Amino acid sequence: MPKDLDPRPNAKPTLATAMKFRSILDALDLKAQIAIVAVLLCTGATWLLVHDLDRKVRDNVQEVLAAQQLQTTQHFAGNLDDAIKLHINALADAAAQMNSEGRDNAEHMQALLARTALNRLFNLGLFVISSKGLELAGWPTPQGRQGGNFADADFFREVIRTGQAVVGKPMLDRFTQQSVVNIGVPIKNSRNEVTAVLVGASQIAGGGLFGANMPQNSVANGDLHVLSPKDGLFVTSTDPKHIMQPDPAVGVDKMYDRYRQGFEGSGVAVGYQGSESLSSATRVASTGWLVMATLPTAVAFKAIESLRGDIYLQSAVACGVIALLLWLILYCQLRPLADSVQISAQIIDAMAGGREPLRPLRIEGSKEIRRLLASFNKLQQHIKTQNQALQEHAEQMRLAASVFEGTGEAIMICSPDNRIISVNRAFCKMTGYDPGELIGANPGLLKSGRQDRAFYQKLWASLQNTGQWQGEIWNRRKSGEIYPERLTISALHDEEGKVLRYIAIAADITKQKQAEAVIWQQANHDLLTKLPNRHRLNELMRQMQEKSLREGFSLAVLHIDLDRFKQVNDTLGHDAGDRLIVETARRISSCPGIDVDPVAHLGGDEFVVVLSTLSEASPRVAQVAGEILHTIAQPFCLDGEKVYISASIGIARYPADAQDVANLLKNADQTKYAAKNEGRNRYCYFTASMELAARTRMQLANDMRGALAADQFEVHYQPIVDLATGMIVKAEALLRWHHPERGMISPVEFIPIAEETGLISEIGDWVFREAAQTVKRWCSRCSFSENGVCAKTRVAEGAGAACRHQITVNKSPRQFFTGNTDRTWIDYLREHDICSDCITIEITEGLLLDQHPEVMEKLIAFRDAGIQIALDDFGTGYSAMSYLKKFDIDYLKIDRSFVRDIVTDPSDRAIAEAIIVMAHKLGLKVVAEGVETIEQRNLLAQAGCDYGQGYLFARPMPRAQFEDFCMSSINPAREESLTTL
């Protein structure tokens, strides 16, 4: 029988009942115990057979009833489906006739309905509904229905929507007040449009649609129902009280829940009436209704209840007879044995109580009794021998016990089955347990969980093979504290090689481990951030490299350097810098994607992250690098101030970029500088060209140290033109390097190297002196020069006009922090009678960002000496209005990145125009760099830009070529200003 048809639970004796039965047996003698057990076994076997027979009979009856019940529902469902289809087809034929004989004539349709034979099928009549839901005709016509509105009726809406025949929801008719099922079919015109609906109404109770198919009373003490799951109600039933009532709710009848979900068949469950029932169900295909038959199991199995009683009664009588026969047989067979046992027991009790001396028992009785008495005599002799041996070793045991308790080492003795037999005071002190808590326990209660199963397997293998194990282990005290100990375990064997005891001697090495941990931590981790240092990083990377070779994945090294960290140290102090480093370490370590990968601090503002288990196409490297840049770019709060920094990251991969740890770190470090050169706050991947570039940089740095003495440097000049007049009004001094082997080297290559090596100060002084001498040369031929001294300030143009021989000299930020160029440059001009108005010092806006006092002092000194200041690359960095007010700036230079697309990009044009307007409002002149086309010049001139500089006018050139260029200019204004050159 299927499992879901048998609701009876399996009965099992409880543990308490079994223990109680065992205690009763123990109180009886052997004869009674054997008799009771034999009787119970026989009785149990008989009752199991009877129970199995009863269950099989019940299952067979249930299967037969279920099959009959299911056949009934299938038969009724088939008949009902045929009847519904008959009704639908009859209505469809009548609708077709109406369509052809005058669907627009209500009287004609009324006559058709009156004489049609359909009235025998639909006992509550027929009626026609217009497409607007109003009754057009009907026969017979109950009071109130004529002209009624059926627009809200479900069958009407569905027919109008689908154009198909529809069986409506069973309902209580509002005109006849009877339960009814309405069937509607469309009446269509020649264009196949639904113009009306022909409806036939059948009474649910008392004939109609269900006709003679539905029994009027309960079927075989059960019920037959027709339910509509989609409408949630009983359509009809042999039990009248269910008709048009809601169907069982979900969870009330488990079998109906299954039928509702699509199951067709039979099953036993507690039904909606609250009692266990056998039910079967079949679905009506045309309507989705369920035909369900129910039969209470109390009725279904009533016929077999009397048979079950007779079987159990006969079984009980048979068990009683068998029990009596077993009792008589056992009584006759075991009586001699019981008498012998009783006599021997009395003698042994007397010897045990001291009433008789110990002596061997007389061997007599049956074979079994004689063997038992002989064994007892042997045992008695063995005990006597053992007592003598125990007395001899008693003193040795007392001595061993005193040593055991007095030693400072923790000792534990275990049995062969690994149970604690004894512990000394030192062991209790070390673990925190009392002896009573340990004796009989498994040593596993001391486990800390730090050692895995493989560790203990090796330990036991060593004990079994060598009889000893020694090593370090982590255990747990009673307080929960985990501690390390040095442990030696020895196995004690008997003469046959079997284990008698396991002896464990342990020592607490917590202090030793703590000292080792401190030493290891200091040797392998940064004291400030607690991150791995360079030494530890190398070890971890070697381990990851070996794993990478075994498992076939790649590694990525991210070398991180903080941008402008020195400024934080210089302005807020080293304590604030340390706090920033610690917070940076925390942020990097918590970045998503790093997980368990190592993060190291190499010192200063340098960090390294090593990402492992990477595939070739993994986007994880870029994602992590982006997360690091983002988290570092967030503000740091130091001493109540918000500090913003960024980072530059160099990325190198193993094995693609290097084959060993040292080169991998070196390549990542080189790539970091590439990221800085590209503007900082970014990451770059290592390429082979970077390694070549690094070597080139090193060679250039070495060559540069002798380049100045070897006269390899040369100053070129690029004209700066007044956009309003086209006049060349000044020039910018630009450094060039003629390398004896490499030829002309771009400043983009060697200027950053000069910055890094510190040579920029010496080279910058030389450029300044060359530019000053050039100014003096031009001024000596100027029409405003009087005995070599500039007299421009006395002419009508006024002091505010631009000097026609002014040269702009770039000054590195490093020169402001090293040396005293504010004095040496000014003194040089005075010593050589060079007008300071002819010199402009060009600086970058990054120099003004942190407002260093020494920078402010030097700028003020230049201003007091009459030297003008130009601010280069304005708008590309931290452009702020505040330092334009605080520092006395004369010129703003618009960066070429805004000029390049000024013709095509409205955003760049708007930025350039905004800079020009702002500068003029502040009284500053504006120079546009990188002017290369006439369109760019015209737009800048229209925006009011003062000066332009770029390839449109001229490239940088040596002094002599520059002078020739100015002389050959056809611009009259230029000729007037430069003919004296």
Side-chain angles (χ1 to χ4, degrees):
M1 184 179 68
K3 186 176 180 180
D4 59 352
L5 296 182
D6 185 10
R8 294 172 295 175
N10 295 324
K12 296 183 179 179
T14 63
L15 181 61
T17 303
M19 295 299 294
K20 185 176 180 181
F21 178 73
R22 177 62 183 271
S23 63
I24 293 173
L25 284 181
D26 291 342
L28 301 175
D29 57 14
L30 181 61
K31 178 181 64 178
Q33 290 180 6
I34 295 175
I36 291 174
V37 170
V39 170
L40 288 177
L41 289 175
C42 181
T43 303
T46 303
W47 281 86
L48 284 175
L49 291 173
V50 172
H51 177 73
D52 185 60
L53 176 63
D54 171 59
R55 180 170 178 173
K56 288 182 178 179
V57 171
R58 177 187 174 96
D59 291 346
N60 291 336
V61 171
Q62 182 171 316
E63 290 179 1
V64 172
L65 291 176
Q68 294 174 349
Q69 193 180 59
L70 181 60
Q71 184 177 10
T72 299
T73 61
Q74 291 172 343
H75 177 73
F76 183 78
N79 292 341
L80 180 57
D81 189 48
D82 292 341
I84 291 173
K85 291 178 180 178
L86 175 63
H87 284 62
I88 291 174
N89 292 334
L91 279 176
D93 293 341
Q97 184 178 4
M98 289 182 179
N99 184 35
S100 63
E101 295 184 7
R103 59 182 177 275
D104 297 327
N105 191 326
E107 294 181 358
H108 183 68
M109 285 191 292
Q110 184 82 17
L112 285 176
L113 293 177
R115 69 172 182 267
T116 184
L118 290 177
N119 290 308
R120 294 195 301 273
L121 296 177
F122 298 96
N123 57 0
L124 289 185
L126 302 165
F127 54 97
V128 179
I129 304 173
S130 70
S131 60
K132 296 182 179 181
L134 300 177
E135 182 184 8
L136 298 175
W139 183 266
T141 305
Q143 182 177 0
R145 192 177 72 186
Q146 186 172 8
N149 190 336
F150 292 89
D152 293 334
D154 64 318
F155 58 88
F156 170 74
R157 293 198 309 271
E158 192 66 14
V159 172
I160 292 296
R161 185 181 69 83
T162 64
Q164 302 293 329
V166 173
V167 178
K169 175 182 177 180
M171 58 185 290
L172 185 66
D173 188 71
R174 55 180 170 172
F175 304 108
T176 63
Q177 298 302 311
Q178 297 183 30
S179 55
V180 63
V181 172
N182 293 304
I183 300 177
V185 296
I187 299 175
K188 299 182 180 180
N189 59 18
S190 58
R191 295 188 300 276
N192 202 32
E193 297 174 342
V194 178
T195 59
V197 178
L198 175 60
V199 181
S202 292
Q203 183 180 0
I204 291 177
L209 176 65
F210 297 95
N213 293 322
M214 189 71 185
Q216 297 302 313
N217 298 310
S218 298
V219 179
N221 295 319
D223 289 309
L224 185 66
H225 315 283
V226 178
L227 301 98
S228 177
K230 67 178 181 180
D231 300 319
L233 52 76
F234 285 84
V235 178
T236 186
S237 173
T238 55
D239 187 352
K241 69 175 180 292
H242 290 307
I243 297 176
M244 299 302 294
Q245 297 300 310
D247 64 351
V250 176
V252 173
D253 189 327
K254 293 183 178 179
M255 286 309 301
Y256 181 65
D257 292 343
R258 294 185 63 191
Y259 300 146
R260 182 159 34 202
Q261 295 171 0
F263 173 72
E264 293 187 34
S266 304
V268 174
V270 176
Y272 62 90
Q273 294 178 333
S275 59
E276 186 181 71
S277 298
L278 172 66
S279 64
S280 301
T282 302
R283 192 169 295 274
V284 179
S286 58
T287 63
W289 295 346
L290 280 174
V291 177
M292 184 173 74
T294 59
L295 180 64
T297 54
V299 176
F301 302 130
K302 184 176 181 181
I304 64 171
E305 289 300 324
S306 60
L307 177 60
R308 177 191 296 177
D310 293 342
I311 292 174
Y312 278 104
L313 177 61
Q314 293 174 8
S315 299
V317 173
C319 289
V321 173
I322 292 172
L324 179 61
L325 292 175
L326 284 173
W327 179 266
L328 292 175
I329 293 171
L330 290 172
Y331 180 82
C332 295
Q333 292 294 323
L334 297 178
R335 181 59 184 270
L337 177 61
D339 293 341
S340 298
V341 170
Q342 183 176 4
I343 294 171
S344 298
Q346 291 174 353
I347 297 173
I348 293 172
D349 288 342
M351 288 189 292
R355 297 189 298 274
E356 291 188 14
L358 290 175
R359 57 182 175 83
L361 297 177
R362 187 173 62 182
I363 298 176
E364 60 182 5
S366 64
K367 180 179 179 181
E368 292 79 5
I369 296 299
R370 290 197 302 272
R371 182 180 298 174
L372 180 61
L373 294 175
S375 297
F376 175 79
N377 291 339
K378 290 179 181 180
L379 176 61
Q380 185 187 66
Q381 182 61 36
H382 180 72
I383 292 173
K384 183 177 181 181
T385 304
Q386 289 293 324
N387 285 335
Q388 292 174 354
L390 287 174
Q391 291 175 0
E392 293 175 359
H393 294 288
E395 185 61 29
Q396 295 180 5
M397 292 297 295
R398 283 193 293 270
L399 178 60
S402 63
V403 174
F404 177 75
E405 288 295 333
T407 185
E409 297 286 338
I411 301 175
M412 175 179 66
I413 301 175
C414 294
S415 64
D417 61 349
N418 204 27
R419 293 290 171 179
I420 300 175
I421 297 175
S422 180
V423 292
N424 65 354
R425 284 193 296 269
F427 190 89
C428 294
K429 181 179 179 181
M430 182 176 71
T431 61
Y433 285 97
D434 294 331
E437 296 173 302
L438 294 171
I439 303 302
N442 189 299
L445 65 86
L446 300 175
K447 282 185 179 180
S448 65
R450 288 199 178 185
Q451 282 84 22
D452 57 12
R453 185 174 183 181
F455 173 86
Y456 289 101
Q457 288 175 343
K458 291 180 180 180
L459 184 152
W460 281 105
S462 177
L463 282 176
Q464 292 172 0
N465 296 331
T466 66
Q468 191 176 41
W469 180 87
Q470 185 175 6
E472 293 182 1
I473 192 171
W474 288 84
N475 277 337
R476 188 187 302 274
R477 307 187 203 273
K478 180 181 178 180
S479 62
E481 176 190 358
I482 297 175
Y483 69 98
E485 67 178 41
R486 185 181 297 106
L487 178 63
T488 300
I489 305 176
S490 300
L492 183 64
H493 298 85
D494 62 10
E495 296 177 353
E496 297 178 356
K498 295 182 180 179
V499 176
L500 290 177
R501 297 287 185 269
Y502 292 109
I503 301 174
I505 302 175
D508 188 343
I509 56 172
T510 300
K511 292 184 179 180
Q512 175 186 334
K513 286 292 183 182
Q514 290 173 346
E516 292 175 354
V518 171
I519 295 172
W520 186 88
Q521 179 71 20
Q522 293 176 348
N524 292 277
H525 289 77
D526 176 56
L527 296 179
L528 179 63
T529 63
K530 304 300 185 292
L531 294 177
N533 57 18
R534 188 182 299 273
H535 175 266
R536 179 59 177 162
L537 175 65
N538 287 331
E539 290 182 351
L540 293 172
M541 289 184 63
R542 280 192 290 271
Q543 295 170 8
M544 296 170 74
Q545 180 187 16
E546 293 173 359
K547 186 177 180 182
S548 172
L549 288 173
R550 290 195 308 269
E551 301 182 8
F553 58 79
S554 62
L555 307 176
V557 173
L558 282 67
H559 199 296
I560 307 163
D561 188 86
L562 303 184
D563 302 327
R564 295 180 295 278
F565 173 71
K566 183 178 182 300
Q567 297 173 4
V568 176
N569 270 341
D570 293 342
T571 55
L572 300 180
H574 288 279
D575 288 341
D578 288 346
R579 293 197 299 275
L580 186 144
I581 289 295
V582 172
E583 174 61 15
T584 302
R586 186 196 67 77
R587 292 186 183 184
I588 295 175
S589 299
S590 60
C591 275
I594 292 181
D595 301 328
V596 296
D597 292 323
V599 178
H601 181 217
L602 304 187
D605 58 353
E606 293 185 79
F607 295 86
V608 169
V609 176
V610 185
L611 301 179
S612 62
T613 62
L614 299 173
S615 62
E616 289 299 326
S618 173
R620 182 175 162 221
V621 178
Q623 293 171 354
V624 171
E627 288 290 343
I628 293 174
L629 292 177
H630 174 73
T631 189
I632 292 178
Q634 304 307 307
F636 293 79
C637 187
L638 302 175
D639 298 332
E641 296 186 18
K642 286 187 176 180
V643 176
Y644 293 85
I645 64 171
S646 59
S648 300
I649 303 176
I651 303 172
R653 299 186 65 143
Y654 171 85
D657 299 331
Q659 299 298 316
D660 57 74
V661 171
N663 282 318
L664 192 62
L665 286 171
K666 183 193 72 175
N667 292 344
D669 188 33
Q670 292 174 358
T671 312
K672 171 193 67 180
Y673 288 106
K676 284 186 176 293
N677 292 336
E678 292 182 10
R680 297 185 172 91
N681 194 28
R682 66 189 63 233
Y683 60 86
C684 288
Y685 288 94
F686 174 80
T687 61
S689 61
M690 289 182 181
E691 185 173 10
L692 179 61
R695 293 176 182 174
T696 302
R697 286 167 61 89
M698 183 181 298
Q699 186 62 45
L700 288 178
N702 294 333
D703 294 345
M704 196 183 303
R705 297 185 185 278
L708 194 58
D711 201 21
Q712 296 175 5
F713 289 117
E714 182 180 5
V715 177
H716 285 205
Y717 300 90
Q718 185 176 29
I720 299 175
V721 176
D722 188 324
L723 295 180
T725 64
M727 180 186 301
I728 299 176
V729 295
K730 57 175 68 180
E732 181 176 1
L734 300 170
L735 182 62
R736 297 293 184 266
W737 181 9
H738 293 278
H739 194 279
E741 297 177 358
R742 301 176 185 270
M744 185 68 73
I745 298 178
S746 170
V748 176
E749 293 185 57
F750 69 84
I751 291 296
I753 300 174
E755 294 271 5
E756 295 173 12
T757 58
L759 292 174
I760 193 65
S761 297
E762 183 181 354
I763 295 173
D765 289 343
W766 179 83
V767 171
F768 169 76
R769 293 193 297 270
E770 286 292 309
Q773 289 299 324
T774 299
V775 165
K776 185 175 182 180
R777 171 185 169 86
W778 291 347
C779 286
S780 65
R781 297 187 235 174
C782 178
S783 59
F784 295 106
S785 175
E786 296 179 358
N787 298 323
V789 178
C790 183
K792 182 175 95 55
T793 55
R794 296 198 300 272
V795 299
E797 294 181 37
C803 179
R804 295 191 179 108
H805 310 301
Q806 192 178 65
I807 294 180
T808 299
V809 179
N810 289 280
K811 189 173 180 65
S812 166
R814 189 181 182 98
Q815 292 178 274
F816 278 90
F817 296 103
T818 59
N820 53 352
T821 53
D822 56 319
R823 295 195 301 272
T824 58
W825 287 16
I826 296 172
D827 292 343
Y828 185 85
L829 295 177
R830 290 172 180 169
E831 290 173 6
H832 293 82
D833 292 328
I834 300 173
C835 180
S836 59
D837 287 343
C838 297
I839 296 292
T840 297
I841 293 177
E842 187 172 301
I843 62 175
T844 58
E845 60 180 348
L847 178 68
L848 308 180
L849 180 62
D850 295 320
Q851 303 180 16
H852 291 283
E854 59 267 35
V855 174
M856 297 180 66
E857 292 173 3
K858 293 179 180 181
L859 288 176
I860 292 172
F862 286 130
R863 286 297 305 162
D864 291 344
I867 298 175
Q868 294 183 320
I869 305 296
L871 190 60
D872 194 16
D873 299 335
F874 184 78
T876 60
Y878 297 88
S879 302
M881 304 303 105
S882 59
Y883 59 65
L884 294 179
K885 292 175 58 180
K886 293 182 180 180
F887 299 96
D888 200 354
I889 305 298
D890 298 285
Y891 301 97
L892 286 185
K893 299 192 75 173
I894 302 176
D895 187 72
R896 65 181 67 250
S897 62
F898 299 119
V899 175
R900 181 175 57 247
D901 299 324
I902 194 172
V903 176
T904 59
D905 191 339
S907 299
D908 284 348
R909 184 161 59 251
I911 292 173
E913 292 173 351
I915 293 175
I916 294 169
V917 172
M918 177 202 66
H920 288 169
K921 291 291 185 180
L922 295 174
L924 309 180
K925 297 292 185 180
V926 181
V927 181
E929 293 183 304
V931 180
E932 298 181 356
T933 65
I934 296 175
E935 291 81 2
Q936 292 172 347
R937 181 196 64 185
N938 293 340
L939 284 175
L940 290 168
Q942 292 172 9
C945 182
D946 301 290
Y947 308 110
Q949 177 182 355
Y951 289 174
L952 175 64
F953 309 111
R955 292 176 177 269
M957 61 191 80
R959 184 184 67 187
Q961 186 178 346
F962 181 83
E963 293 173 355
D964 292 343
F965 172 77
C966 294
M967 292 295 295
S968 64
S969 173
I970 62 173
N971 188 318
R974 291 177 182 171
E975 290 178 358
E976 179 185 353
S977 61
L978 296 172
T979 50
T980 57
L981 295 179

